Amino acid sequence: MYVHVYTYCISTRTRTVIVAVCSFYTRTFYCYKTETSHVTVIYILITISEMAESTKRKVQYLAGICASLTFMFTGATLAWPSPAIPKLSSGEAGVKITDEQISWVVSLHGLGALLGSYGGQLLNERVGRRKTIFVSSAPGILGAIMIFFSKMPVVMYLARFLMGASTGVIAVVTMIYVTEIADKEIRGALGMIIQVMNNFGCLIIYSVGPFVSYTFLNSILITIPIIYVLACLWIPESPYYHLKDGRIAAARKEFRVLKGSKNEKWIDEQFNVIRIHVQENMESKSSVKELLTNTKYRKAIYIVLGLKILQYMTGILVIQSYLEAIFTQSSSISGPLASIVYGFVQILACIGATFLTRWIGRRILMFVSCLGVSLSMTLVGLYFYLKDVVKVQPETLASLFPVPLIGIIGFNILYANGLGNLPYVMQVELFPVNVKAVASSLATMLACVFSFVVTKFYQVVKDSFGHYSVFWSFAFVGYAGLFFVYFCVPETKDKTLEEVQDNMEKRSPEERALRERNIDECDHREEAK
């Protein structure tokens, strides 16, 4: 059954190989199989088979996966408060800390990311995408070491700030790198792998954190940045980075490696398309002023602003940071167990999303995601309204204990399939190369502000207006987002970055014809050489 579901949208040859291998797997390991293991094995088989079938994209796949490992650290740092808060509150961590101080420990991660996103933009432009990935590990490792040894809340503030700075750099550079190296057919899927890695980092913390010491929990945070740096030592630089600075030969060399083709004529044709496009874009300035004052970027700015509001103001960071505490207050299911279930469902949902992006458009996925997130938050809010305001009988409330679990898991699945990562993909797709790093940095900074506001004031709103008001506020944002996605968000699936940006800027036929002529002239010059 799983084979037929997950191989619907791939080629006949690949599907035949997967069915044969999975049949062998079922016969050989029948006594050990579970539903989760089937899905995981099939996902791995499909990924490997498609990579083998499309060997020309092997470097793109491997480089994208290695770069996406950076988001394991982002997921781990975001999920860290969930198992850490009970250890801090109980005194197990050996740190004297109040609830107010804990809220600062959680929320300062967002302020650190605010600084990191600005630094990421500068590094992106000056040293390139590849080196920026390496630099991003430094504040993360330092912050993880500080929180490992710290017994003082003030030091923990600084440690979380530094780890946030690391994730801010990661958020800016990783998505730019992945979208620039990937062909249009796999750009969405590679972008979703970033979310898979983010959720895998969460899963590690959720499944291990509640059952290990506070010290061991913090040691995990030190290990992850070292892993992704080692994995990224070999990856090629983005050709777009070299082109924007006029290094044509270096860009062509990296482009040939990424495309994996020995057909020099085809390489020249494809390379000249992006070369002319980058040259046109670089005629405009690369600055915040250019981005905010030039009207041709206005529509893209509005779209990304709306997507960031939906991504961060629908409750994801509150759920990730306070997950164990929320379940402890809402149901008879233990917080650690519910966190593990949440983590596994989250990563499986993201694995499914990598396939959905191959054959379903961005707009449809985000609309369905937005609707599902809103309904889920409404359901969780309703439970707390019945519990805290209506004060239903304990027997009735006990019969409703699955409601918050269903709501949170439903939120988890629907968020992962749209709002979780597609805004990251689109914020890079919609802007040309001259302002791409600036736009991505500002978008990430905006997200950091939303992150800080949501995590810092969660406790305040909960205590002042009731737990239900928090979740219904998230639901309201989601419902408003349905209209925004339907009327404002464009479709970018199966379009090259150049086609997306042409559509955003509404280039006239004359302008496109002029570009074609420039490309032809460039081809003739190359042939003459």
Side-chain angles (χ1 to χ4, degrees), residues 415-436:
Y415 185 87
N417 279 279
L419 294 178
N421 204 52
L422 288 178
Y424 286 124
V425 176
M426 295 194 72
Q427 78 185 34
V428 179
E429 291 177 329
L430 297 179
F431 292 100
V433 68
N434 63 305
V435 294
K436 186 177 295 186

Side-chain angles (χ1 to χ4, degrees), residues 202-214:
C202 292
L203 176 61
I204 292 172
I205 299 300
Y206 289 147
S207 58
V208 176
F211 309 105
V212 298
S213 67
Y214 181 72

Side-chain angles (χ1 to χ4, degrees), residues 17 135 168 175 215 239 257 305 319 329 334 356 429 437 516 521:
V17 172
V135 174
M175 191 56 72
T215 301
V257 171
L305 173 62
I319 291 174
Q329 296 172 33
S334 71
L356 289 176
E429 291 177 329
E516 293 295 330
E521 291 175 356

Side-chain angles (χ1 to χ4, degrees), residues 335-384:
L337 177 60
S339 299
I340 294 172
V341 172
Y342 178 90
F344 271 107
V345 171
Q346 188 177 53
I347 196 166
L348 290 176
C350 281
I351 288 173
T354 62
F355 294 105
L356 289 176
T357 54
R358 297 290 297 272
W359 54 286
I360 296 180
R362 314 273 202 261
R363 292 180 73 250
I364 296 175
L365 280 176
M366 280 195 284
F367 187 88
V368 173
S369 176
C370 209
L371 177 61
V373 162
S374 304
L375 293 174
S376 299
M377 290 291 94
T378 301
L379 189 63
V380 177
L382 179 61
Y383 175 87
F384 281 108

Side-chain angles (χ1 to χ4, degrees), residues 477-495:
V477 173
Y479 288 127
L482 292 173
F483 297 94
F484 171 77
V485 171
Y486 185 81
F487 290 107
C488 301
V489 176
E491 182 56 73
T492 61
K493 180 180 176 290
D494 290 336
K495 292 182 175 67

Side-chain angles (χ1 to χ4, degrees), residues 31-45:
C31 59
Y32 300 107
K33 73 179 191 294
T34 64
E35 189 167 311
T36 302
S37 67
H38 268 305
V39 175
T40 305
V41 168
I42 292 167
Y43 171 69
I44 294 170
L45 286 170

Side-chain angles (χ1 to χ4, degrees), residues 16 29 87 131 155 164 177 202 210 248 277 280 297 303 313 370 396 470 483 490 527:
T16 303
F29 301 105
K87 298 179 190 296
K131 290 181 180 178
V155 179
Y177 178 78
C202 292
I248 308 299
H277 192 270
E280 289 177 354
Y297 309 124
I303 292 170
M313 299 301 284
C370 209
T396 304
V470 176
F483 297 94
E527 289 174 3

